[in-house]
Amino acid sequence: MAEENRVTLHGFWASPYSKRVELALKLKGIPYEYVEEDLRNKSQLLLKYNPVHKKVPVLVHNGKPIAESLVVLEYIDETWKNAPKLLPEDPHTRSQVRFWASFLQQQLFESVLKVLKTEGETQEKALKQVSEKLNLLEEGLKSFYSDGNPCIDIEHVGLHDLVLVSFFGGYKVYEELLGIKLLDPEKTPLIYSRLTALADLPLVKETLPPPEKVVALLR
Amino acid sequence: MGEEVKVFRTWSSPFALRVVWALDLKGIKYETIYEDLSNKSPLLLQYNPIHKKVPVLLHNSKPIAESLVILEYIEDTWKHRPLLPQDPHQRANARFWIKFGEDKVFPAVRDSLLKQGKEQEEAHEAALESFKLLEEELKGKKLFGGEEIGMVDIALGWLANLVSVLEEVLVLKFIDEHKFPLLSAWMRLFADIPVIKQSWPPRDKLVTKYIAIREARLATN
């Protein structure tokens, strides 16, 4: 690859933040080099490219680094304008996608992590929080998709979809391994149908990490 | 019928001020609705059912919540007087620092207000560390946006208003002129811009407000 247009992603196999960037690159058909970082022994390049946070993912394009997964996703969408468009054209729908991506990131993931890491009463409390947040999300998605739930295919994946599937794609395995219920298709049918459709896309299946390995890492 | 723009805010919310600044900088006319957060209006609850907070922007009857989401909406909708650079990499850099302000600077300053003892010390330290990084980012620039206010300045602008208030309330120094010369100069410059200056909530009311918040929080501990 020529230096110009060269794309490198510094990532970590278990990081949902890293995975969502990988998904975006693959979905848009952008060729890239992948550098797997050992988070206990970060590369000099990573520390140079993300001196503020020293974290993955970092995307390097034309020698210039971009950090923070949601910022990277917006950058990818602005630079490679082919489908899928991660953000729609209409400003109001764009704002809704950003709102839900932010909600998923800030509100929901914290609670899910707690569920995956803890047990007993702490886990129960966290599960309750997850359930409450999912109900809120379901309500919100109902109005967001009030024109009908668009079908999921590789041409139509949004920013919020990438956040959702990178956090939750492995939910079924988490449920099996931990003997818990994370997602109820009857209580949150929209989320359930959207998530399962996303997780079933071959490109997503081959990109997301094996959920049992993620659980093993966390516990 | 012109475009209908409404802003739901409180007299003091620093997040709502971001929206006011963006609209004022772009010269967009809007109606202001002041909320009493102890007695939220049915409209606010309808427009922001998820968080039930201000600010909310209403444009052509459609609501948008979350101040940073609103800023991007304003930028997408009214394309004159841009608040973000054109170049995608510079845009990404701006968004990076906006996120930094939200994830690192704000929580550290907030916790310095709400905590005490060791926890407060740690929060204060974290705030100072975050200011060091902002100081670095300002090298060679007057404003985070360069020659003119940009979205990063707007997102961080609460510092220019609240740091001195909190320094008074907490008797704690945050942004020392000598340690953070660039950041201090930025705060002065930002605060003096007419659109910003006219928007500052009354200082004495702010001091009273934050003293009350701290006392209430410490009393519940």
Side-chain angles (χ1 to χ4, degrees):
Chain A
M1 240 183 301
E3 191 56 45
E4 201 177 295
N5 281 327
R6 183 179 176 162
V7 179
T8 310
L9 174 65
H10 291 252
F12 176 59
W13 66 270
S15 159
Y17 304 100
S18 178
K19 282 300 169 184
R20 63 180 66 144
V21 174
E22 260 194 287
L23 278 172
L25 292 170
K26 284 189 177 177
L27 285 165
K28 285 196 183 250
I30 300 160
Y32 65 99
E33 274 172 36
Y34 179 74
V35 176
E36 177 71 30
E37 289 284 341
D38 176 357
L39 299 184
R40 295 156 306 177
N41 186 19
K42 294 172 184 176
S43 74
Q44 282 307 306
L45 272 182
L46 179 65
L47 299 177
K48 170 181 138 182
Y49 285 142
N50 190 1
V52 172
H53 300 298
K54 307 174 175 50
K55 284 183 179 177
V56 294
V58 175
L59 189 80
V60 187
H61 181 217
N62 295 333
K64 293 190 261 190
I66 303 113
E68 290 295 322
S69 67
L70 293 180
V71 176
V72 176
L73 291 178
E74 294 228 19
Y75 174 85
I76 288 172
D77 208 41
E78 284 176 3
T79 307
W80 291 275
K81 298 188 198 283
N82 58 305
K85 301 277 309 150
L86 302 179
L87 285 167
E89 288 301 313
D90 170 64
H92 188 259
T93 344
R94 279 168 91 84
S95 76
Q96 298 310 294
V97 170
R98 285 184 174 125
F99 178 89
W100 290 113
S102 170
F103 178 84
L104 281 161
Q105 175 116 321
Q106 287 166 356
Q107 304 261 341
L108 198 43
F109 191 52
E110 282 304 308
S111 315
V112 172
L113 256 190
K114 253 198 219 152
V115 167
L116 296 182
K117 280 178 161 175
T118 62
E119 2 184 80
E121 226 192 280
T122 326
Q123 192 190 53
E124 266 178 56
K125 249 181 98 184
L127 266 170
K128 207 165 160 272
Q129 280 176 349
V130 171
S131 178
E132 282 165 10
K133 307 256 162 95
L134 284 178
N135 288 338
L136 282 174
L137 180 62
E138 181 77 13
E139 279 310 304
L141 288 183
K142 264 190 212 150
S143 39
F144 185 49
Y145 293 120
S146 57
D147 294 344
N149 196 359
C151 68
I152 302 263
D153 57 46
I154 59 172
E155 303 265 301
H156 298 97
V157 178
L159 194 86
H160 60 309
D161 292 319
L162 292 178
V163 177
L164 180 66
V165 79
S166 62
F167 279 155
F168 282 107
Y171 87 94
K172 233 193 162 47
V173 176
Y174 301 153
E175 287 182 340
E176 283 162 12
L177 283 176
L178 302 175
I180 50 168
K181 194 104 183 112
L182 266 177
L183 201 59
D184 188 335
E186 278 172 39
K187 287 208 187 124
T188 55
L190 252 182
I191 298 176
Y192 181 79
S193 68
R194 201 149 182 90
L195 179 61
T196 44
L198 284 164
D200 268 351
L201 293 173
L203 211 55
V204 173
K205 266 199 224 169
E206 78 187 30
T207 308
L208 289 185
E212 55 290 351
K213 278 202 182 157
V214 173
V215 173
L217 185 74
L218 288 174
R219 294 173 92 82
Chain B
M1 185 183 84
E3 292 182 352
E4 179 201 50
V5 183
K6 294 190 188 180
V7 175
F8 289 77
R9 61 172 291 191
T10 58
W11 67 272
S12 66
S13 160
F15 305 104
L17 273 180
R18 292 168 169 168
V19 176
V20 165
W21 293 333
L23 292 171
D24 286 347
L25 282 166
K26 288 190 186 252
I28 295 153
K29 301 272 168 269
Y30 56 94
E31 189 192 325
T32 302
I33 293 142
Y34 285 95
E35 286 283 335
D36 171 2
L37 295 183
S38 62
N39 185 19
K40 295 172 185 177
S41 73
L43 272 183
L44 180 67
L45 299 176
Q46 177 196 337
Y47 290 144
N48 190 3
I50 300 289
H51 302 297
K52 306 177 175 48
K53 285 181 178 177
V54 293
V56 171
L57 183 80
L58 194 70
H59 182 213
N60 294 334
S61 308
K62 291 196 255 190
I64 303 112
E66 291 293 295
S67 63
L68 297 182
V69 174
I70 297 173
L71 289 182
E72 295 264 9
Y73 174 82
I74 291 172
E75 182 71 354
D76 284 338
T77 305
W78 293 281
K79 297 193 193 284
H80 60 281
R81 185 36 182 105
L83 300 171
L84 284 174
Q86 289 306 305
D87 169 69
H89 190 260
Q90 287 178 22
R91 286 164 85 85
N93 191 52
R95 287 182 174 129
F96 176 90
W97 286 104
I98 291 169
K99 196 158 198 309
F100 179 80
E102 230 40 9
D103 292 349
K104 298 286 178 201
V105 182
F106 178 75
V109 174
R110 176 202 60 207
D111 288 350
S112 304
L113 173 70
L114 298 178
K115 313 240 179 218
Q116 52 187 335
K118 188 145 192 289
E119 282 188 304
Q120 187 195 43
E121 268 175 49
E122 284 169 357
H124 182 240
E125 259 313 302
L128 295 180
E129 286 304 310
S130 76
F131 298 145
K132 278 191 201 155
L133 290 161
L134 292 181
E135 182 80 10
E136 271 294 310
E137 179 58 18
L138 273 174
K139 285 214 170 106
K141 298 197 278 203
K142 292 193 323 188
L143 296 158
F144 289 99
E147 287 299 306
E148 292 198 320
I149 306 188
M151 209 184 276
V152 182
D153 301 286
I154 292 177
L156 292 171
W158 60 272
L159 286 166
N161 184 216
L162 289 182
V163 158
S164 73
V165 168
L166 294 176
E167 286 178 341
E168 185 180 324
V169 165
L170 299 171
V171 191
L172 201 55
K173 194 72 188 161
F174 283 102
I175 298 183
D176 181 305
E177 175 88 45
H178 302 288
K179 283 198 195 147
F180 305 109
L182 297 177
L183 202 51
S184 304
W186 169 79
M187 291 202 297
R188 281 193 300 271
L189 181 60
F190 184 83
D192 248 2
I193 291 165
V195 153
I196 308 296
K197 199 172 185 168
Q198 74 193 12
S199 72
W200 286 148
R203 192 199 154 81
D204 50 351
K205 271 184 90 179
L206 285 174
V207 170
T208 310
K209 166 183 163 165
Y210 286 105
I211 289 178
I213 289 177
R214 179 165 171 82
E215 282 178 0
R217 179 57 70 103
L218 297 187
T220 63
N221 282 351

